[in-house]
Amino acid sequence: MLLREVAYARPSSLAEALEILAADDGARALAGGQTLINVMKARAGSPDTLVDLNGLHELRGIELGADGTLEIGAMTTYTEIMASSEARARPILGEVCAQIADVQVRNRGTIGGNVCTNDPTNHLPPLLAALGAQFTIQGAGGERTVAADAFFLGVYLTAVGPGELLTRIRVPAGRNDGFAAVTLGVEGTCIVSAAASLNGSVRLALGCVDAVPVVLTPSSTDADAVRQAVRDAALEPPSDVHASSEYRRHLAEVLAVRATDQAQRS
Ligand SMILES: Cc1cc2nc3c(=O)[nH]c(=O)nc-3n(C[C@H](O)[C@H](O)[C@H](O)COP(=O)(O)OP(=O)(O)OC[C@H]3O[C@@H](n4cnc5c(N)ncnc54)[C@H](O)[C@@H]3O)c2cc1C
């Protein structure tokens, strides 16, 4: 289906992009376009102006700090993360990006677009929640940094407000991480996903069982403790054509154990 007529702006600086977004209620950021353009084609959304972020070099790239912290620009693609020697400081990032869809989507899709969409079936919201990532948001009034629990607010809803942009994501140092998912086919989105990080304590995040990633802190890595933590969360996942609520609850336990096992072995 053809797109409705839409204005297009390609700012050459972050300041210019923020100015255009602040001046026009109907303007939306365009990152990789792998969700937004499909949404526009389906007429589920129809921005008046697309503000293309692809010319903003300040939103790209991955820096590795001396303490092992990664700073990832919001416009960094999945393929760039997979290929980055800096990102290997947290190998799970590249491993999970490699599981997202196909080469075309990975070449265009960005880490910022993935989390700003906050589609519960996306791979990166639960992963970044488990890793304890911090999200930097910039608007006319300056910038602020929020943790995952303050960033993911609902389905397709995040802390990035009108006129604002996610600029970068900070991932703390660590190596003992795991991710497990049951997907729709080999390259499909998740039916349920689980990410685990064992750096200090156990931190689990479950995807597709609620509007936002559900973060849990099991008392140990023992499979029974992990299963109990998932049961204690009293999840009420949605039922749909892909899985019943009961099956998603079952998958959440199984995948939480698998992700924790991988984290222990990594
Ligand atoms: C065939 C197909 C299969 C897919 N399978 C998967 C999958 O298995 N797993 C998965 O995780 N994803 C999957 N996706 C989604 C894909 O990962 C998208 O790339 C991602 O959801 C959005 O990223 P994007 O860079 O393309 O953003 P866009 O589509 O350009 O933007 C998405 C939304 O985020 C906003 N946005 C983007 N960047 C910023 C920013 N810096 N600041 C503020 N707002 C911003 C936009 O305004 C828009 O509302 C799939 C997509 C397709 C087409």
Side-chain angles (χ1 to χ4, degrees), residues 46-119:
S46 52
D48 299 327
T49 305
L50 288 178
V51 183
D52 188 345
L53 306 182
N54 282 279
L56 305 184
H57 298 292
E58 61 255 71
L59 296 189
R60 285 196 185 279
I62 304 176
E63 281 175 29
L64 177 61
D67 64 351
T69 301
L70 284 168
E71 288 268 355
I72 307 175
M75 283 298 291
T76 308
T77 64
Y78 311 133
T79 299
E80 287 166 345
I81 292 171
M82 288 159 59
S84 157
S85 52
E86 287 82 7
R88 274 182 214 127
R90 207 80 202 242
I92 196 73
L93 287 166
E95 286 168 29
V96 174
C97 284
Q99 296 171 31
I100 295 177
D102 50 41
V103 175
Q104 282 170 299
V105 172
R106 293 195 290 269
N107 282 347
R108 296 295 306 171
T110 65
I111 186 170
N114 195 299
V115 296
C116 284
T117 303
N118 194 27
D119 182 328

Coordinates of all heavy atoms in Angstrom, one line a residue, residues 46-119:
S46 N -0.1 8.0 11.1 CA 0.1 8.9 9.9 C 0.7 10.2 10.4 O 0.0 11.2 10.5 CB -1.2 9.1 9.2 OG -2.2 9.5 10.0
P47 N 2.0 10.2 10.6 CA 2.7 11.5 11.0 C 2.6 12.5 9.8 O 2.5 12.1 8.7 CB 4.1 11.1 11.2 CG 4.3 9.7 10.9 CD 2.9 9.1 10.6
D48 N 2.5 13.8 10.2 CA 2.5 14.8 9.1 C 3.9 15.0 8.5 O 4.1 15.3 7.4 CB 2.1 16.2 9.7 CG 0.7 16.1 10.3 OD1 -0.1 15.3 9.7 OD2 0.4 16.7 11.3
T49 N 5.0 14.8 9.4 CA 6.3 15.0 9.0 C 7.2 13.9 9.5 O 7.1 13.6 10.7 CB 6.9 16.4 9.5 OG1 6.0 17.4 9.1 CG2 8.3 16.7 9.0
L50 N 8.1 13.4 8.7 CA 9.1 12.4 9.1 C 10.4 13.2 9.4 O 10.8 13.9 8.4 CB 9.3 11.3 8.1 CG 8.2 10.3 8.0 CD1 8.5 9.3 6.9 CD2 7.9 9.6 9.3
V51 N 10.9 13.0 10.5 CA 12.2 13.7 10.8 C 13.3 12.6 10.8 O 13.5 11.8 11.8 CB 12.2 14.4 12.2 CG1 13.5 15.1 12.5 CG2 11.0 15.4 12.3
D52 N 14.0 12.5 9.7 CA 14.9 11.4 9.4 C 16.2 11.7 10.3 O 16.9 12.7 10.1 CB 15.3 11.4 7.9 CG 16.1 10.2 7.5 OD1 16.6 9.5 8.4 OD2 16.2 9.9 6.3
L53 N 16.5 10.7 11.2 CA 17.7 10.8 12.0 C 18.9 10.3 11.4 O 20.0 10.3 12.1 CB 17.4 10.1 13.4 CG 16.1 10.5 14.1 CD1 16.0 9.7 15.4 CD2 16.0 12.0 14.4
N54 N 18.8 9.8 10.2 CA 20.0 9.0 9.6 C 21.2 9.9 9.3 O 22.3 9.4 9.1 CB 19.5 8.3 8.4 CG 18.8 7.0 8.8 OD1 19.5 6.0 9.1 ND2 17.5 7.0 8.9
G55 N 21.0 11.3 9.3 CA 22.2 12.1 9.0 C 22.9 12.6 10.3 O 23.8 13.3 10.3
L56 N 22.4 12.1 11.5 CA 22.9 12.6 12.8 C 24.0 11.7 13.3 O 23.7 10.7 14.0 CB 21.8 12.7 13.8 CG 20.6 13.5 13.3 CD1 19.5 13.7 14.5 CD2 21.0 14.9 12.9
H57 N 25.2 12.0 13.0 CA 26.4 11.2 13.4 C 26.5 11.1 14.9 O 27.0 10.1 15.4 CB 27.6 11.6 12.7 CG 27.5 11.5 11.2 ND1 27.4 10.3 10.5 CD2 27.4 12.5 10.2 CE1 27.2 10.5 9.2 NE2 27.2 11.8 9.0
E58 N 26.0 12.2 15.6 CA 26.2 12.2 17.0 C 25.3 11.1 17.7 O 25.5 10.8 18.9 CB 25.9 13.5 17.7 CG 24.6 14.1 17.4 CD 24.5 15.3 16.4 OE1 24.7 14.9 15.2 OE2 24.3 16.4 16.8
L59 N 24.4 10.5 16.9 CA 23.5 9.5 17.5 C 24.0 8.1 17.1 O 23.3 7.1 17.4 CB 22.1 9.6 17.0 CG 21.3 10.9 17.4 CD1 19.8 10.8 17.1 CD2 21.4 11.1 18.9
R60 N 25.2 8.0 16.5 CA 25.7 6.7 16.1 C 26.9 6.3 16.9 O 27.6 7.2 17.4 CB 26.1 6.7 14.6 CG 24.9 6.7 13.6 CD 25.4 6.3 12.2 NE 24.3 6.4 11.3 CZ 23.3 5.5 11.2 NH1 23.4 4.3 11.8 NH2 22.3 5.6 10.3
G61 N 27.2 5.0 16.8 CA 28.5 4.6 17.4 C 28.5 4.0 18.8 O 27.5 4.1 19.5
I62 N 29.5 3.3 19.1 CA 29.6 2.5 20.4 C 30.9 2.9 21.0 O 32.0 2.7 20.4 CB 29.5 1.0 20.1 CG1 28.3 0.7 19.3 CG2 29.6 0.2 21.4 CD1 28.2 -0.8 18.9
E63 N 30.9 3.3 22.3 CA 32.1 3.7 23.0 C 32.2 2.7 24.2 O 31.2 2.5 24.9 CB 32.1 5.1 23.5 CG 32.4 6.1 22.3 CD 32.3 7.5 22.8 OE1 32.5 7.8 24.0 OE2 32.0 8.4 22.0
L64 N 33.4 2.2 24.4 CA 33.7 1.4 25.6 C 34.5 2.2 26.5 O 35.7 2.6 26.3 CB 34.4 0.1 25.1 CG 34.9 -0.8 26.2 CD1 33.7 -1.4 26.9 CD2 35.7 -2.0 25.5
G65 N 34.0 2.4 27.7 CA 34.7 3.2 28.8 C 35.7 2.3 29.5 O 35.7 1.1 29.4
A66 N 36.6 3.0 30.2 CA 37.7 2.3 30.9 C 37.1 1.3 31.9 O 37.7 0.2 32.2 CB 38.6 3.3 31.6
D67 N 35.9 1.6 32.4 CA 35.3 0.7 33.4 C 34.5 -0.4 32.8 O 33.8 -1.1 33.5 CB 34.5 1.5 34.4 CG 33.3 2.2 33.8 OD1 33.2 2.2 32.5 OD2 32.5 2.7 34.5
G68 N 34.5 -0.5 31.5 CA 33.7 -1.5 30.8 C 32.3 -1.1 30.4 O 31.5 -1.9 29.8
T69 N 31.9 0.2 30.8 CA 30.6 0.6 30.4 C 30.5 0.9 28.9 O 31.4 1.4 28.3 CB 30.3 2.0 31.1 OG1 30.4 1.7 32.5 CG2 28.9 2.5 30.8
L70 N 29.4 0.5 28.3 CA 29.2 0.8 26.9 C 28.2 1.9 26.7 O 27.2 2.0 27.4 CB 28.6 -0.5 26.2 CG 29.5 -1.6 25.9 CD1 28.7 -2.9 25.5 CD2 30.5 -1.3 24.8
E71 N 28.6 2.8 25.8 CA 27.6 3.9 25.5 C 27.3 3.7 24.0 O 28.1 3.8 23.1 CB 28.3 5.3 25.6 CG 28.6 5.8 27.0 CD 27.5 6.6 27.5 OE1 26.5 7.0 26.8 OE2 27.6 7.0 28.7
I72 N 26.0 3.4 23.7 CA 25.6 3.1 22.4 C 24.6 4.2 21.9 O 23.6 4.5 22.5 CB 24.9 1.7 22.4 CG1 25.7 0.6 23.0 CG2 24.5 1.3 20.9 CD1 25.1 -0.7 23.2
G73 N 25.0 4.8 20.7 CA 24.1 5.8 20.1 C 22.8 5.2 19.7 O 22.8 4.0 19.2
A74 N 21.7 5.9 19.8 CA 20.4 5.4 19.5 C 20.3 4.9 18.1 O 19.5 4.0 17.8 CB 19.4 6.5 19.8
M75 N 21.0 5.6 17.2 CA 20.9 5.2 15.7 C 21.9 4.1 15.3 O 22.0 3.9 14.1 CB 21.2 6.5 14.9 CG 20.0 7.4 14.9 SD 18.5 6.7 14.2 CE 19.0 6.5 12.4
T76 N 22.5 3.4 16.3 CA 23.4 2.3 15.9 C 22.5 1.1 15.5 O 21.5 0.7 16.2 CB 24.2 1.9 17.1 OG1 24.8 3.1 17.6 CG2 25.3 0.9 16.8
T77 N 22.8 0.5 14.3 CA 22.0 -0.6 13.8 C 22.4 -1.9 14.5 O 23.5 -2.0 15.1 CB 22.2 -0.7 12.3 OG1 23.6 -1.1 12.0 CG2 21.9 0.5 11.5
Y78 N 21.5 -2.9 14.4 CA 21.8 -4.2 14.9 C 23.1 -4.8 14.3 O 23.9 -5.3 15.0 CB 20.7 -5.2 14.6 CG 19.3 -4.7 15.0 CD1 18.2 -4.8 14.1 CD2 19.0 -4.0 16.2 CE1 17.0 -4.3 14.3 CE2 17.8 -3.5 16.5 CZ 16.7 -3.7 15.6 OH 15.5 -3.2 15.8
T79 N 23.2 -4.6 13.0 CA 24.4 -5.1 12.3 C 25.7 -4.4 12.8 O 26.7 -5.1 13.0 CB 24.3 -4.8 10.7 OG1 23.1 -5.5 10.3 CG2 25.5 -5.3 10.0
E80 N 25.6 -3.1 13.1 CA 26.8 -2.4 13.6 C 27.1 -3.0 15.0 O 28.3 -3.1 15.4 CB 26.6 -0.9 13.7 CG 26.6 -0.3 12.3 CD 26.0 1.1 12.2 OE1 25.3 1.6 13.2 OE2 26.3 1.8 11.2
I81 N 26.1 -3.3 15.8 CA 26.4 -3.9 17.1 C 27.0 -5.2 17.0 O 28.0 -5.6 17.7 CB 25.1 -3.9 18.0 CG1 24.6 -2.5 18.3 CG2 25.3 -4.7 19.3 CD1 23.2 -2.4 18.9
M82 N 26.5 -6.0 16.1 CA 27.1 -7.4 15.9 C 28.5 -7.3 15.5 O 29.3 -8.2 15.8 CB 26.2 -8.1 14.8 CG 24.9 -8.5 15.3 SD 23.8 -8.8 13.9 CE 24.6 -10.1 13.0
A83 N 28.9 -6.3 14.7 CA 30.2 -6.2 14.1 C 31.2 -5.5 15.0 O 32.4 -5.5 14.8 CB 30.2 -5.5 12.8
S84 N 30.7 -4.9 16.1 CA 31.5 -3.9 16.9 C 32.5 -4.7 17.9 O 32.0 -5.5 18.6 CB 30.6 -3.0 17.7 OG 31.2 -2.5 18.8
S85 N 33.8 -4.4 17.8 CA 34.7 -5.0 18.8 C 34.4 -4.4 20.2 O 34.5 -5.2 21.2 CB 36.1 -4.8 18.4 OG 36.3 -3.4 18.2
E86 N 33.9 -3.2 20.3 CA 33.6 -2.6 21.6 C 32.4 -3.4 22.2 O 32.4 -3.7 23.4 CB 33.3 -1.1 21.5 CG 34.4 -0.2 21.2 CD 34.8 -0.1 19.7 OE1 34.0 -0.7 18.9 OE2 35.8 0.5 19.4
A87 N 31.4 -3.6 21.4 CA 30.2 -4.3 21.9 C 30.5 -5.7 22.4 O 29.7 -6.3 23.2 CB 29.1 -4.3 20.9
R88 N 31.6 -6.3 22.0 CA 32.0 -7.6 22.5 C 32.3 -7.6 24.0 O 32.3 -8.7 24.6 CB 33.2 -8.2 21.7 CG 32.6 -8.9 20.5 CD 33.6 -9.5 19.6 NE 33.1 -9.4 18.2 CZ 33.8 -8.9 17.2 NH1 35.0 -8.5 17.4 NH2 33.2 -8.7 16.1
A89 N 32.4 -6.4 24.6 CA 32.6 -6.3 26.0 C 31.3 -6.9 26.7 O 31.3 -7.3 27.9 CB 32.8 -4.9 26.5
R90 N 30.2 -6.8 26.0 CA 28.9 -7.4 26.5 C 28.4 -8.3 25.4 O 27.4 -7.9 24.7 CB 28.0 -6.3 26.9 CG 27.0 -6.6 28.0 CD 27.6 -6.5 29.3 NE 26.8 -7.3 30.3 CZ 26.2 -6.8 31.4 NH1 26.2 -5.5 31.6 NH2 25.5 -7.6 32.2
P91 N 28.9 -9.5 25.2 CA 28.7 -10.3 24.0 C 27.2 -10.6 23.8 O 26.8 -10.8 22.6 CB 29.4 -11.6 24.3 CG 30.4 -11.3 25.4 CD 29.8 -10.2 26.2
I92 N 26.4 -10.6 24.8 CA 25.0 -10.9 24.6 C 24.3 -9.9 23.7 O 23.3 -10.3 23.0 CB 24.2 -11.0 26.0 CG1 22.9 -11.7 25.9 CG2 24.1 -9.6 26.6 CD1 22.9 -13.1 25.7
L93 N 24.8 -8.7 23.6 CA 24.2 -7.7 22.8 C 24.2 -8.1 21.3 O 23.2 -8.1 20.6 CB 24.9 -6.3 22.9 CG 24.6 -5.6 24.3 CD1 25.6 -4.5 24.4 CD2 23.2 -5.1 24.3
G94 N 25.4 -8.5 20.8 CA 25.5 -8.9 19.5 C 24.8 -10.2 19.2 O 24.2 -10.4 18.2
E95 N 24.9 -11.1 20.2 CA 24.2 -12.4 20.0 C 22.7 -12.2 19.8 O 22.1 -12.9 19.0 CB 24.4 -13.3 21.3 CG 25.8 -13.9 21.4 CD 26.1 -14.5 22.7 OE1 25.2 -15.0 23.4 OE2 27.3 -14.4 23.2
V96 N 22.1 -11.4 20.6 CA 20.6 -11.2 20.5 C 20.3 -10.4 19.2 O 19.3 -10.7 18.6 CB 20.0 -10.5 21.8 CG1 18.6 -10.2 21.6 CG2 20.2 -11.5 23.0
C97 N 21.1 -9.4 18.9 CA 20.8 -8.6 17.7 C 20.8 -9.6 16.5 O 20.1 -9.4 15.5 CB 21.9 -7.5 17.5 SG 21.5 -6.1 18.5
A98 N 21.7 -10.6 16.5 CA 21.8 -11.6 15.4 C 20.6 -12.4 15.3 O 20.3 -13.0 14.2 CB 23.0 -12.5 15.6
Q99 N 19.7 -12.4 16.3 CA 18.5 -13.2 16.3 C 17.3 -12.4 15.8 O 16.2 -12.9 15.6 CB 18.1 -13.8 17.7 CG 19.2 -14.7 18.3 CD 18.9 -15.0 19.7 OE1 17.8 -15.1 20.2 NE2 20.0 -15.3 20.5
I100 N 17.5 -11.1 15.5 CA 16.4 -10.3 15.1 C 16.1 -10.4 13.6 O 17.0 -10.1 12.8 CB 16.6 -8.8 15.5 CG1 16.7 -8.6 17.0 CG2 15.6 -7.9 14.9 CD1 17.0 -7.2 17.5
A101 N 15.0 -10.9 13.3 CA 14.5 -10.9 11.9 C 15.6 -11.4 10.9 O 16.2 -12.4 11.1 CB 13.9 -9.6 11.5
D102 N 15.7 -10.6 9.8 CA 16.6 -11.0 8.7 C 17.7 -9.9 8.4 O 17.7 -8.9 9.1 CB 15.8 -11.3 7.4 CG 14.9 -10.1 7.2 OD1 15.3 -9.0 7.3 OD2 13.7 -10.4 6.8
V103 N 18.5 -10.2 7.5 CA 19.7 -9.3 7.2 C 19.2 -7.9 6.9 O 19.7 -6.9 7.4 CB 20.5 -9.8 6.1 CG1 21.6 -8.8 5.7 CG2 21.1 -11.1 6.4
Q104 N 18.1 -7.8 6.1 CA 17.6 -6.4 5.7 C 17.2 -5.6 7.0 O 17.5 -4.5 7.1 CB 16.4 -6.5 4.8 CG 16.9 -6.9 3.3 CD 15.6 -7.2 2.5 OE1 14.9 -8.2 2.8 NE2 15.4 -6.4 1.5
V105 N 16.4 -6.3 7.8 CA 15.9 -5.6 9.0 C 17.1 -5.3 9.9 O 17.2 -4.2 10.5 CB 14.9 -6.5 9.8 CG1 14.5 -5.9 11.1 CG2 13.6 -6.7 8.9
R106 N 18.1 -6.2 10.0 CA 19.2 -5.9 10.9 C 20.1 -4.8 10.4 O 20.8 -4.1 11.1 CB 20.1 -7.2 11.1 CG 19.3 -8.3 11.9 CD 20.2 -9.4 12.4 NE 20.8 -10.2 11.3 CZ 20.2 -11.3 10.9 NH1 19.1 -11.8 11.4 NH2 20.8 -12.1 9.9
N107 N 20.2 -4.7 9.1 CA 21.0 -3.6 8.5 C 20.4 -2.2 8.7 O 21.1 -1.2 8.7 CB 21.2 -3.8 7.0 CG 22.3 -4.9 6.7 OD1 23.0 -5.3 7.6 ND2 22.3 -5.4 5.5
R108 N 19.1 -2.1 8.8 CA 18.4 -0.8 8.9 C 17.9 -0.5 10.3 O 18.0 0.6 10.8 CB 17.1 -0.8 8.0 CG 17.4 -0.9 6.5 CD 18.1 0.3 5.9 NE 17.5 1.6 6.3 CZ 18.1 2.7 6.0 NH1 19.3 2.8 5.5 NH2 17.5 3.9 6.3
G109 N 17.5 -1.6 11.0 CA 16.9 -1.4 12.4 C 17.9 -0.9 13.4 O 19.1 -1.3 13.3
T110 N 17.5 0.0 14.3 CA 18.4 0.6 15.3 C 18.0 0.2 16.7 O 16.8 -0.1 17.0 CB 18.4 2.1 15.2 OG1 17.0 2.6 15.5 CG2 18.7 2.6 13.7
I111 N 19.0 0.2 17.5 CA 18.7 -0.1 19.0 C 17.7 0.9 19.5 O 16.8 0.6 20.3 CB 20.0 -0.2 19.8 CG1 19.8 -0.6 21.2 CG2 20.8 1.2 19.8 CD1 21.1 -0.9 22.0
G112 N 17.9 2.2 19.1 CA 16.9 3.2 19.6 C 15.5 3.0 19.2 O 14.6 3.1 19.9
G113 N 15.4 2.7 17.9 CA 14.0 2.4 17.3 C 13.4 1.2 18.0 O 12.2 1.2 18.3
N114 N 14.2 0.2 18.2 CA 13.7 -1.0 18.9 C 13.1 -0.7 20.2 O 12.0 -1.1 20.5 CB 14.8 -2.0 19.0 CG 14.3 -3.4 19.2 OD1 13.7 -3.7 20.3 ND2 14.5 -4.4 18.3
V115 N 13.8 0.0 21.1 CA 13.3 0.3 22.4 C 12.2 1.4 22.4 O 11.3 1.3 23.2 CB 14.4 0.6 23.4 CG1 15.3 -0.6 23.6 CG2 15.2 1.8 23.1
C116 N 12.3 2.4 21.5 CA 11.3 3.4 21.5 C 10.0 2.8 21.0 O 8.9 3.4 21.4 CB 11.7 4.6 20.6 SG 13.0 5.6 21.4
T117 N 10.0 1.8 20.2 CA 8.7 1.2 19.8 C 8.1 0.5 21.0 O 6.9 0.5 21.2 CB 9.0 0.1 18.7 OG1 9.7 0.8 17.6 CG2 7.7 -0.5 18.2
N118 N 9.0 -0.1 21.9 CA 8.5 -0.9 23.0 C 7.3 -1.8 22.6 O 6.3 -1.9 23.3 CB 8.1 -0.1 24.2 CG 8.0 -1.0 25.5 OD1 8.6 -2.0 25.5 ND2 7.2 -0.6 26.4
D119 N 7.5 -2.5 21.5 CA 6.6 -3.6 21.2 C 7.0 -4.8 22.1 O 8.2 -5.2 22.1 CB 6.8 -4.0 19.7 CG 5.9 -5.1 19.2 OD1 5.6 -5.9 20.0 OD2 5.6 -5.1 18.0

